[in-house]
């Protein structure tokens, strides 16, 4: 299912760096880029073989160079989107990147919407829905374990398990349908025990997938970890120790932390969303009570709680 428009967008994060990549995809990707591209020897991108790099310049309508670039030509269907694609690598300044993109749009490309390259990859059969989601998970992975899980999903591990269940159920449904529609034909009866085994296997596999969903979310989003305890027992000091830097203010004055402070900590391959909260105690201070209300709200939603107590004083009723 090929789209009719040719789209372009910056594919690398916005900011200043050594390189930026602008992706152009669609039926007119090569002509659009050739309208902006100048090769010292007069070579055209339309003549380039797929999966090759061509050096040259992106030029304005008058032929003046905008930037020196490398253009990667990826012909359909051997590209991420399944369409003709050109990836233009230019220098990574904000101004020059935007200028190159503006020139490509002037030549006939349309600015891509959010996720549109992945959408085209899905529509053209290059990715299924779970793999399209995995692309974002790979980009946003917060830990090595999250990256490993997302990479397996991108390779089709989840899709493969779902398809095996689907194929087994479709085969069973087809066999039952034949028996129901053609009872007079000499067709071997379906053994009830075999049918039950197929259904039990499908149920077991789907239950396993359902049970693993929560673990997958924790890998993807991180484990919400709340540090709680009385005032001035070392909650902020613990956060600083986990981070390896002085992120939270630490003083000898009780009640220094009034709001909730959140930081990400990589712990054994897992990403922890660590929340440092106000100390919980009886107080007549309105602002301090607001902070404790927020602490209790985060505590109710926590998946992991780190209770901090004063080891020199021992546990008391407040703890």
């Amino acid at each position: 299912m090929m789209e009719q428009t040719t789209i372009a967008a910056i594919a690398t994060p916005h900011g200043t760096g050594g390189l930026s990549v602008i992706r152009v995809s669609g039926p007119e990707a090569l002509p659009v880029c050739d309208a902006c591209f100048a090769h010292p020897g007069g070579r055209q991108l339309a003549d380039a073989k797929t999966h090759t790099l061509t050096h040259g310049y992106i030029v304005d309508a008058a032929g003046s160079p905008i930037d020196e670039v490398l253009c990667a030509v990826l012909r359909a269907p051997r590209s991420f989107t399944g369409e003709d694609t050109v990836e233009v690598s230019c220098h990574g300044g904000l101004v020059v990147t935007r200028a190159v993109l503006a020139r490509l749009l002037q030549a006939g490309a349309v600015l891509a919407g959010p996720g549109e390259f992945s959408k085209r990859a899905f529509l053209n059969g290059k990715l299924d829905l779970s793999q399209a989601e995995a692309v974002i998970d790979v980009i946003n992975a917060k830990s090595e374990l999250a990256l490993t899980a997302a990479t397996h999903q991108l390779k089709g591990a989840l899709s493969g398990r779902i398809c095996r269940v689907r194929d087994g159920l479709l085969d069973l449904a087809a066999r039952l349908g034949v028996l129901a529609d053609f009872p007079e034909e000499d067709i071997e009866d379906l053994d009830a025990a075999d049918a039950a085994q197929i259904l039990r296997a499908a149920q077991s596999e789907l239950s396993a997938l359902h049970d693993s969903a929560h673990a997958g979310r924790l890998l993807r989003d991180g484990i919400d970890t709340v540090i709680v305890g009385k005032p001035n027992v070392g909650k902020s000091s613990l956060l600083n120790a986990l981070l390896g830097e002085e992120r939270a203010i630490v003083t000898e004055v009780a009640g220094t932390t009034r709001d909730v402070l959140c930081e990400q900590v990589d712990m054994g391959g897992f990403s922890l969303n660590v929340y440092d909260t106000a100390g919980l105690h009886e107080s007549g201070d309105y602002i301090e009570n607001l902070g404790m209300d927020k602490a209790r709200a985060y505590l109710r939603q926590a998946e992991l709680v780190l209770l901090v107590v004063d080891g020199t004083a021992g546990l008391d009723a407040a703890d």
Side-chain angles (χ1 to χ4, degrees), residues 252-315:
E252 296 180 356
V253 179
T256 300
T257 303
R258 299 247 174 148
D259 206 345
V260 176
L261 180 65
C262 179
E263 293 290 336
Q264 286 187 352
V265 177
D266 188 1
M267 185 73 67
F270 288 92
S271 178
L272 305 183
N273 307 316
V274 183
Y275 297 89
D276 181 24
T277 63
L280 300 177
H281 67 118
E282 294 294 332
S283 173
D285 186 301
Y286 175 72
I287 296 177
E288 198 171 15
N289 279 319
L290 288 178
M292 288 190 285
D293 287 342
K294 291 186 70 173
R296 294 186 181 96
Y298 277 89
L299 181 58
R300 284 192 292 270
Q301 300 298 321
E303 287 147 339
L304 176 63
V305 177
L306 303 180
L307 172 62
V308 182
V309 299
D310 185 347
T312 63
L315 296 174

Side-chain angles (χ1 to χ4, degrees), residues 140-292:
N140 294 329
K142 300 176 182 178
S143 67
E144 290 184 8
L145 287 175
L147 177 59
T148 299
T151 302
H152 282 307
Q153 185 170 329
L154 183 60
K155 290 180 178 179
L158 176 60
S159 304
R161 293 178 67 180
I162 294 173
C163 285
R164 283 191 293 273
V165 173
R166 178 178 180 271
D167 290 345
L169 294 176
L170 286 177
D171 179 68
L172 177 59
R175 292 166 69 183
L176 290 172
V178 168
L179 290 172
D181 292 340
F182 306 101
E184 70 282 356
E185 299 291 336
D186 186 19
I187 301 174
E188 182 181 357
D189 287 342
L190 177 64
D191 186 74
D194 291 340
Q197 178 59 33
I198 293 172
L199 292 174
R200 280 194 296 267
Q203 182 182 37
S204 176
E205 182 70 358
L206 292 175
S207 295
L209 287 172
H210 178 270
D211 293 342
S212 68
H214 181 64
R217 187 184 66 79
L218 294 182
L219 284 175
R220 183 182 67 247
D221 300 334
I223 301 171
D224 286 341
T225 305
V226 178
I227 305 176
V228 294
K230 295 182 300 188
N232 214 29
V233 292
K235 298 186 297 299
S236 297
S237 296
L238 174 59
L239 176 65
N240 289 340
L242 291 172
L243 292 172
E245 61 176 289
E246 297 297 314
R247 180 66 180 86
I249 297 175
V250 176
T251 73
E252 296 180 356
V253 179
T256 300
T257 303
R258 299 247 174 148
D259 206 345
V260 176
L261 180 65
C262 179
E263 293 290 336
Q264 286 187 352
V265 177
D266 188 1
M267 185 73 67
F270 288 92
S271 178
L272 305 183
N273 307 316
V274 183
Y275 297 89
D276 181 24
T277 63
L280 300 177
H281 67 118
E282 294 294 332
S283 173
D285 186 301
Y286 175 72
I287 296 177
E288 198 171 15
N289 279 319
L290 288 178
M292 288 190 285

Side-chain angles (χ1 to χ4, degrees), residues 47-109:
D47 298 328
K49 294 181 180 179
T50 187
H51 292 73
T52 59
L53 293 173
T54 304
H55 168 263
Y57 297 85
I58 295 295
V59 297
D60 62 21
S64 300
I66 297 174
D67 193 25
E68 186 176 13
V69 299
L70 276 175
C71 291
V73 173
L74 309 167
R75 296 183 181 273
R78 295 176 58 201
S79 70
F80 175 74
T81 60
E83 304 173 323
D84 283 346
T85 300
V86 179
E87 294 185 348
V88 182
S89 296
C90 62
H91 290 96
L94 287 170
V95 174
V96 66
T97 302
R98 289 171 179 168
V100 171
L101 175 61
R103 180 68 182 103
L104 291 166
L105 297 178
Q106 184 185 43

